Amino acid sequence: MLKYAGIVINSNSIQLDRIFTYSIPEKFLDKIEIGMRVYVPFGLGNKKIDGFVIELYDEIDTSMSLKAISNIDYSFPVLRTEDIKLIDIMREKYLCTYMECIKTIFPSALFKGVKNKKENYLFVGEDLNNKFSKEPYVTIYDVVRKNNGKLTRSLLSNKFKLSLSSINTMIKHGFLISKEIVVNRYNDREYKAYTKKELNLKQKETIDFILNSDKINYLIHGITGSGKTEIYMNLVEEMINKNKECIILVPEIALTPQMVERFKGRFGKDITVFHSKLSDGEKYDEWLRVKKRNVKVAIGARSAIFLPFNNLGLIVIDEEHESSYKSDSDPKYNAREIAEMKSEFYNCKIVLGTATPSIETYYRCEKGEIQLITLEERADGAKLPDISVVDMREELLNNNKSIFSIELLKGMEEALSKKEQIILFLNRRGFSTFVSCRKCGYVFKCNQCDISLTYHFSEEYLLCHYCGSKQKVSKDCPKCGSKYVKYFGVGTEKIEQEVKKLFPGSRTLRMDFDTTRRKNSYEDIYNTFKNGKADILIGTQMIAKGLDFKNVTLVGVIAADLSLNLPDFRASERTFQLITQVSGRAGRGEKHGKVVVQTYNPDSYAIKYSTENNYNSFYNEEIKIRDLMNYPPYVELMLINLSSENEDILIKSIQNVGIILKNFFKNNDKIELLGPCPCEISRINNNFRWQIIIKGNLTNEEKKYVKERIYSSLKDVYNSIRVSIDANPLSLI
Ligand code: ADP
Ligand code: ZN
Ligand code: ZN
């Protein structure tokens, strides 16, 4: 008999992130299982606290007397063996705690005590057919029968002008039965059936290859519109036929009504849709129907990777390059990595798809870890749009100081006159405060890190947010001597104002963080534009993906430089991705599309190759730089971020962490430490932020040591400092 249990306590404290041993009382000996939620006495006051059974033992070598488990929570789902394995891997990889993992694997609704939603409905009593031979009972009986499970007292009383008391009398005599039933909070609307496309040869080959090969990992590198989604759907169908389950991940903002419609239209309404904007109740119900094995397919954003499927055959990750697959709170997991961990358990296939593979993924294809499949043509035969690059330095020479180039203005006039639609795209992320010369395009960069320097308004200096080095801003351009040295700043609102000024009759729509905070606002804006009730859609990267508007013939990229000069070593990669994605929005229908990309850096390889649709040349350039500057995929990064309202304590603490790390790595010349220095966004909500970057490949033991040392050095300032450690961060701002 297993008499002892190793238990993880439900607490946020990092000091309690370990396994505590409890004894199992006699009455629970044959009931307790690994993964169960239990209640245990904890601490000096023996306060009852919940926790999870992670291990069971029949013997322990301690003479200490142990506390005993108080109770088992039978109503709570049990962590499965594979969940516990997953937790172990996640803890090592993401340096997170047991409870952070458990709270990620289970929807938070469970911890908040959300339960099934129940409502009262009226049903027909059983032996009553004969008793009702005359009106109005027959009709009532009939109505209830026809609406079985959907009729309430109030509806019935409204329909027949019956008082509630006579309905209650009918219930009392057993003519009607009132029953509490569980109502589903998920959307179970029927969708219009989706007609299957006749697959083209390339699509067929791809599907056959994936199904018949014994490899696990695939990348479909296919241009936008090459028919990837159609391929995913056929793979899903094959899996369903084999009685296997599938998860399809799409970036949160690409989980459009259009996407859901396509999948539900094809596979019926019994598909789970899972994303962060669902209410707790909706999440609970969707989660539960996976758990109860009522669905075989889920489509969702990154958290859908944790849905409790038991027999996974396929995980699809669409737009694999997207940074939204990485969680920004602990555990800072990447759904792509979790997919690989899960495929170890289920031996399921992983299919990544994108028009612009991340450098890391493509590098793995080159090393043979992922099978590459390339699709070079649009499935419906449509042509890719014409892309022209406008050099904004020349616009300035020609005395055009507006945010629109002459070419873009002309294009807009033409599209508006033909009643065609326009998308204006501003690739703004974070605060774009780089400084550049408007005449020659020169950008101030750090010599050591090859990263754009960030302008600090208050003290008027330039700072490298990787290594912390500072420079003064010169009034004249160091390259051409001009006086047009400026910091960059333009927002979507500003663009909308300009458009309204230039085209007073045009109808504009704005889609950005500010206008999409409400639950259905994205859908509303989307439908307004789709139904032709607006001419120009202005937006941030939100509009770059997934949207398929047949009447859009012109796309304008207002300032390609905004993403190009982000202080991030992935700036070129992001720019290539954004321009490619947004260009894919033009000319999706019969009409030919045109894209105008405005930039001060027309010669940058990211802009050049994206407008030429040449991923391979881009990759070859980029991977050389990664190698030369020692960035991923050649090394791993670890980001240590401290924040506090108290700047003095913060700086002292992070300097202390810096010293500890320097000492620890002093004999290791493969590890480079950058910082401590203020983060690119140096203050959020009155919290100052500083960071240290560790560049180099640490072993799991080293990572663990680093984490423990950091936490123990901050023991005395815990109350005023927040720590975040990110192994393999996607964003360094
Ligand atoms: P992607 O996911 O690569 O962007 P989609 O699967 O969305 O591409 O396909 C792009 C467009 O082409 C869609 O409108 C789709 O219905 C259509 N399409 C896909 N496959 C075929 C096919 N075999 N024949 C005709 N049209 C297709
Ligand atoms: Zn210059
Ligand atoms: Zn630097």
Side-chain angles (χ1 to χ4, degrees):
M1 235 359 153
L2 299 162
K3 291 190 193 129
Y4 306 96
I7 288 173
V8 166
I9 300 296
N10 185 2
S11 152
N12 291 331
S13 162
I14 186 124
Q15 279 99 339
L16 301 184
D17 179 47
R18 54 193 186 83
I19 295 177
F20 294 89
T21 311
Y22 280 84
S23 65
I24 307 170
E26 199 65 43
K27 60 179 173 182
F28 294 141
L29 278 180
D30 57 347
K31 302 207 169 64
I32 201 119
E33 281 172 39
I34 287 187
M36 277 181 159
R37 189 197 205 193
V38 292
Y39 287 88
V40 293
F42 192 76
L44 287 177
N46 280 334
K47 205 176 132 206
K48 293 280 185 302
I49 190 167
D50 65 318
F52 290 84
V53 180
I54 299 290
E55 290 168 348
L56 291 174
Y57 333 98
D58 52 2
E59 252 176 70
I60 46 166
D61 53 319
T62 173
S63 50
M64 259 185 11
S65 71
L66 293 173
K67 296 180 189 176
I69 291 174
S70 319
N71 224 332
I72 297 176
D73 182 354
Y74 293 103
S75 68
F76 206 88
V78 176
L79 285 166
R80 305 164 302 168
T81 327
E82 58 258 50
D83 294 328
I84 291 175
K85 275 194 223 152
L86 190 67
I87 291 170
D88 274 339
I89 305 173
M90 286 174 73
R91 281 184 80 237
E92 281 217 321
K93 190 164 175 83
Y94 304 119
L95 301 171
C96 55
T97 66
Y98 282 108
M99 276 319 293
E100 283 162 353
C101 294
I102 294 175
K103 287 187 171 167
T104 305
I105 287 173
F106 287 136
S108 59
L110 283 171
F111 289 95
K112 293 180 192 159
V114 172
K115 295 264 145 61
N116 280 329
K117 185 177 178 191
K118 291 182 183 157
E119 282 172 5
N120 261 303
Y121 285 101
L122 298 176
F123 296 85
V124 178
E126 268 180 19
D127 59 329
L128 301 171
N129 286 351
N130 329 336
K131 292 194 184 164
F132 295 107
S133 48
K134 51 183 208 281
E135 304 279 336
Y137 295 110
V138 174
T139 336
I140 292 171
Y141 172 87
D142 234 37
V143 170
V144 175
R145 191 167 48 83
K146 272 182 210 143
N147 285 281
N148 226 357
K150 291 268 158 59
L151 209 64
T152 60
R153 279 166 220 224
S154 56
L155 264 175
L156 192 63
S157 89
N158 284 342
K159 214 165 182 138
F160 293 96
K161 305 267 176 305
L162 285 168
S163 69
L164 282 179
S165 75
S166 41
I167 294 178
N168 283 339
T169 310
M170 292 169 74
I171 292 171
K172 202 167 113 196
H173 291 296
F175 300 160
L176 294 176
I177 294 168
S178 157
K179 247 199 292 197
E180 258 210 332
I181 62 164
V182 174
V183 287
N184 299 326
R185 278 164 292 194
Y186 50 79
N187 163 15
D188 64 352
R189 204 165 85 207
E190 295 282 352
Y191 283 78
K192 200 174 77 208
Y194 181 83
T195 11
K196 252 163 97 171
K197 298 264 181 313
E198 177 75 35
L199 297 179
N200 62 38
L201 187 65
K202 195 72 204 179
Q203 286 171 319
K204 275 191 206 139
E205 280 173 4
T206 304
I207 292 162
D208 285 347
F209 178 66
I210 293 174
L211 291 174
N212 296 325
S213 142
D214 56 1
K215 296 282 189 328
I216 293 286
N217 291 293
Y218 303 84
L219 168 69
I220 306 179
H221 175 204
I223 61 169
T224 41
S226 55
K228 296 185 291 296
T229 312
E230 212 59 38
I231 292 175
Y232 308 150
M233 291 199 290
N234 280 273
L235 289 171
V236 167
E237 188 176 358
E238 295 284 343
M239 291 298 157
I240 293 175
N241 290 342
K242 288 188 204 164
N243 228 355
K244 296 258 183 177
E245 299 152 342
C246 308
I247 298 176
I248 299 116
L249 294 187
V250 298
E252 182 95 33
I253 53 173
L255 193 57
T256 55
Q258 195 179 20
M259 187 69 120
V260 174
E261 198 178 303
R262 220 165 144 184
F263 274 84
K264 289 206 172 181
R266 170 94 178 244
F267 297 107
K269 59 186 178 157
D270 288 332
I271 291 183
T272 282
V273 178
F274 204 78
H275 56 86
S276 71
K277 285 196 174 161
L278 296 182
S279 68
D280 279 333
E282 287 167 329
K283 276 188 196 156
Y284 177 85
D285 284 3
E286 291 283 24
W287 190 86
L288 209 62
R289 63 179 182 149
V290 174
K291 183 89 187 161
K292 287 185 174 159
R293 319 202 66 176
N294 292 338
V295 295
K296 285 210 163 53
V297 181
I299 177 165
R302 68 166 177 258
S303 57
I305 194 69
F306 293 104
L307 286 168
F309 285 110
N310 266 321
N311 189 20
L312 273 176
L314 173 73
I315 299 172
V316 171
I317 305 185
D318 192 26
E319 311 284 6
E320 70 83 25
H321 62 278
E322 263 290 312
S323 50
S324 67
Y325 288 125
K326 165 105 181 168
S327 166
D328 42 22
S329 55
D330 289 314
K332 296 190 179 71
Y333 70 90
N334 189 323
R336 224 164 53 188
E337 291 160 355
I338 304 287
E340 287 187 31
M341 298 171 196
K342 287 208 154 186
S343 87
E344 295 266 318
F345 308 149
Y346 302 105
N347 214 15
C348 66
K349 302 205 180 232
I350 302 176
V351 174
L352 311 175
T354 176
T356 53
S358 63
I359 297 293
E360 276 101 327
T361 295
Y362 210 76
Y363 181 72
R364 291 182 63 198
C365 289
E366 293 218 310
K367 289 204 297 184
E369 292 171 21
I370 300 178
Q371 303 302 304
L372 176 67
I373 300 163
T374 312
L375 309 177
E376 282 163 335
E377 272 158 40
R378 281 190 164 175
D380 54 5
K383 280 214 201 70
L384 284 173
D386 292 327
I387 306 186
S388 59
V389 181
V390 177
D391 185 342
M392 293 305 276
R393 297 171 303 185
E394 283 177 18
E395 297 290 311
L396 187 72
L397 282 179
N398 295 329
N399 221 10
N400 174 16
K401 290 188 181 141
S402 131
I403 47 179
F404 302 121
S405 60
I406 303 293
E407 184 169 356
L408 183 54
L409 274 179
K410 279 212 179 110
M412 287 168 72
E413 262 165 36
E414 201 180 310
L416 288 173
S417 73
K418 287 197 207 150
K419 303 254 177 298
E420 291 166 358
Q421 289 173 301
I422 302 165
I423 291 179
L424 296 179
F425 173 69
L426 188 72
N427 39 343
R428 185 189 60 155
R429 246 176 91 229
F431 312 142
S432 308
T433 46
F434 66 97
V435 176
S436 69
C437 169
R438 285 241 195 166
K439 188 148 179 237
C440 76
Y442 176 83
V443 176
F444 288 77
K445 285 192 170 182
C446 172
N447 299 333
Q448 291 181 69
C449 308
D450 193 37
I451 294 297
S452 304
L453 296 166
T454 300
Y455 183 56
H456 281 249
F457 291 91
S458 48
E459 287 125 284
E460 298 194 346
Y461 62 80
L462 290 162
L463 180 70
C464 170
H465 284 284
Y466 277 24
C467 69
S469 70
K470 277 185 195 175
Q471 268 187 39
K472 276 195 76 79
V473 191
S474 58
K475 292 217 168 59
D476 308 323
C477 170
K479 193 171 155 207
C480 76
S482 93
K483 297 211 180 310
Y484 286 102
V485 171
K486 286 207 167 133
Y487 56 82
F488 222 96
V490 57
T492 43
E493 268 171 275
K494 175 85 191 293
I495 295 174
E496 191 174 29
Q497 281 169 13
E498 290 291 306
V499 169
K500 289 230 146 96
K501 237 193 292 176
L502 291 164
F503 304 101
S506 66
R507 299 162 302 168
T508 59
L509 268 180
R510 195 150 60 83
M511 188 185 277
D512 54 26
F513 181 70
D514 294 329
T515 61
T516 52
R517 266 183 261 184
R518 276 188 309 110
K519 187 169 176 183
N520 293 321
S521 46
Y522 182 93
E523 196 164 350
D524 293 344
I525 297 173
Y526 169 83
N527 284 328
T528 310
F529 196 60
K530 179 161 188 161
N531 298 334
K533 291 193 188 121
D535 308 303
I536 306 176
L537 176 63
I538 301 157
T540 53
Q541 44 267 46
M542 245 172 235
I543 58 175
K545 341 227 132 67
L547 301 182
D548 200 348
F549 303 114
K550 302 276 186 247
N551 197 33
V552 172
T553 56
L554 176 67
V555 169
V557 178
I558 303 298
D561 308 76
L562 283 180
S563 55
L564 195 58
N565 295 318
L566 276 177
D568 187 331
F569 74 90
R570 289 192 180 87
S572 293
E573 181 179 356
R574 300 257 188 271
T575 304
F576 185 92
Q577 289 164 354
L578 281 168
I579 293 178
T580 307
Q581 298 285 344
V582 80
S583 303
R585 301 305 120 216
R588 302 280 284 198
E590 318 265 272
K591 297 166 198 152
H592 195 56
K594 182 180 168 68
V595 180
V596 178
V597 178
Q598 304 189 158
T599 175
Y600 290 91
N601 283 283
D603 302 325
S604 120
Y605 63 94
I607 290 181
K608 187 162 163 277
Y609 291 131
S610 64
T611 53
E612 288 171 5
N613 233 311
N614 187 347
Y615 178 83
N616 286 64
S617 296
F618 170 73
Y619 172 81
N620 291 334
E621 287 281 324
E622 181 68 16
I623 199 79
K624 266 189 260 168
I625 295 173
R626 300 288 179 91
D627 192 8
L628 195 71
M629 301 301 298
N630 212 20
Y631 283 123
Y634 291 96
V635 293
E636 280 180 17
L637 300 181
M638 186 159 156
L639 176 68
I640 296 151
N641 176 300
L642 263 56
S643 62
S644 172
E645 285 192 3
N646 186 326
E647 199 175 14
D648 290 340
I649 296 183
L650 175 68
I651 294 176
K652 264 193 213 115
S653 311
I654 195 143
Q655 277 168 345
N656 199 12
V657 170
I659 292 166
I660 291 170
L661 294 178
K662 247 180 216 121
N663 275 331
F664 181 54
F665 291 116
K666 70 171 178 267
N667 296 323
N668 189 342
D669 59 1
K670 294 215 168 66
I671 303 290
E672 211 182 318
L673 293 175
L674 302 178
C677 64
C679 304
E680 148 82 352
I681 302 175
S682 58
R683 204 167 152 188
I684 296 177
N685 274 339
N686 281 330
N687 274 290
F688 297 91
R689 307 169 73 234
W690 279 61
Q691 69 186 30
I692 296 175
I693 298 169
I694 305 176
K695 216 172 168 189
N697 299 328
L698 307 192
T699 61
N700 279 345
E701 286 71 44
E702 283 170 330
K703 283 185 197 167
K704 209 170 145 206
Y705 177 85
V706 164
K707 179 186 169 189
E708 276 164 11
R709 283 308 311 267
I710 292 174
Y711 277 98
S712 69
S713 85
L714 298 171
K715 230 178 23 244
D716 298 332
V717 287
Y718 258 162
N719 296 335
S720 45
I721 291 214
R722 281 177 52 103
V723 190
S724 152
I725 302 178
D726 191 346
N728 200 10
L730 275 193
S731 163
L732 294 165
I733 57 176

